[in-house]
Each structure stands twice: as structure tokens, then as C-alpha cells.
Amino acid sequence: MKYGYIENQRPLPEALQQLRTYLEEVPVRLRNFSEEELTFRNPGKWSKKEILGHLIDSGLNNLKRFTDAQFMPSPFVVQRYNQNQSVVLNHYQQLPLEHLLTYWQSLNRQILYVTENIPEETLQKPVIPPDDSPTVTLLWLIDDYVAHLGHHFKQFQ
């Protein structure tokens, strides 16, 4: 599969419980780093602050996807966004860690609220990812979002 981080979809309650775990653990991990460690970047890579900023952008885009997929014509077509430009233009590198954490947590609490209230039949609506990837369901898209967080969570070690 070209798009996404998962092959085997989890039930929604399991994926959302994992999201709740990240909501607790990400701030703890990131607060253990110095400002120098948070802003250090290897050439061509993002710093830890910029990774968190990327997760904010991902949260913004996916909250809209999870909302729109419920009422837009089916199948819902996922639009890509320019991840690198979003990180640069939002100046995540210069923002205080607590600002970034509060923003990220708020977005993901809203994602939890929206997704845990989606009816089962709506979770099965077809979604077309970018890059000619096979059609998936809204449930798959939600689970893949959580898996994407897990991919970046490993970078906060």
C-alpha cells in the first residue's frame, strides 16, 4: 500500500485508546528534552519541535477529513497537503514547547470526540487515499492516523 502506516486495521476502540495513551505520553517524553535537544535537526530532517508541529498539521488535516468524510459525497477523496511547507510556514521551530503541546493535545481531544461519535455504518464509508492507493474505509483512515502518530512517537526517544 502506497499510502498509510497500517496493513491490519484495529477496531476503533483499540485505536482510540492508543490515541489517549499518546495524549498522555508525548508531553511527558518531550518535556524531558532541553531546548537545544528539541530544536536540533540533522540536515534535511525535522527537529523534535518540528515533528510535533508536523503532528499538529496532521491533526488539523485529519480532523477535517474525519468530519468531511461523514457528509461529503461517497467515496471521500483524501487530498494531500504540503507537509514541509506547513512546518516551515507555521514556524514550529521557534514556538514554545508548551504552546505546541497544548495545541496538539487540543486537536487530538477533538479528534477523539468526533471519531468516537461516528456511527458504525459511517465508519465503513469508502475513502480514496492519494497516490492511486486502494480504496479504504473511514475506520481505516482513523486507525492509520493513530499509527502515523506511533511512527513519530518513536522519534521522541
Side-chain angles (χ1 to χ4, degrees):
M1 178 166 296
K2 293 180 183 179
Y3 178 83
Y5 290 84
I6 61 166
E7 292 292 330
N8 299 312
Q9 179 182 299
R10 296 174 284 193
L12 184 62
E14 188 178 322
L16 296 184
Q17 184 54 48
Q18 184 62 61
L19 178 54
R20 286 182 191 92
T21 299
Y22 291 141
L23 277 169
E24 292 175 19
E25 293 181 6
V26 165
V28 171
R29 281 201 183 181
L30 287 176
R31 286 180 181 127
N32 284 323
F33 292 105
S34 68
E35 183 66 16
E36 184 177 320
E37 292 169 317
L38 289 168
T39 57
F40 173 80
R41 59 165 92 99
N42 286 312
K45 301 289 184 181
W46 288 329
S47 70
K48 287 176 175 47
K49 275 188 170 182
E50 289 171 323
I51 292 168
L52 182 57
H54 164 67
L55 294 177
I56 290 168
D57 294 337
S58 178
L60 285 167
N61 281 278
N62 279 289
L63 176 58
K64 181 148 179 53
R65 291 169 182 165
F66 302 156
T67 303
D68 290 354
Q70 294 183 66
F71 67 86
M72 295 291 284
S74 192
F76 177 74
V77 179
V78 173
Q79 298 298 314
R80 280 208 181 271
Y81 65 98
N82 190 317
Q83 298 174 16
N84 289 323
Q85 284 301 306
S86 291
V87 167
V88 170
L89 295 174
N90 278 286
H91 305 283
Y92 295 124
Q93 184 78 332
Q94 290 79 36
L95 291 170
L97 177 62
E98 289 306 314
H99 172 88
L100 296 173
L101 288 171
T102 300
Y103 192 11
W104 178 78
Q105 286 176 305
S106 295
L107 276 169
N108 281 286
R109 285 186 186 111
Q110 183 63 22
I111 286 170
L112 280 168
Y113 183 76
V114 168
T115 55
E116 63 194 6
N117 285 290
I118 299 174
E120 183 60 38
E121 65 189 42
T122 305
L123 288 169
Q124 300 310 314
K125 287 182 86 169
V127 172
I128 300 176
D131 303 330
D132 298 319
S133 293
T135 299
V136 295
T137 63
L138 177 55
L139 175 58
W140 184 95
L141 193 65
I142 295 165
D143 190 18
D144 188 66
Y145 170 74
V146 177
H148 172 245
L149 288 174
H151 166 77
H152 289 294
F153 182 70
K154 294 173 187 168
Q155 295 173 306
F156 297 147
Q157 299 196 29

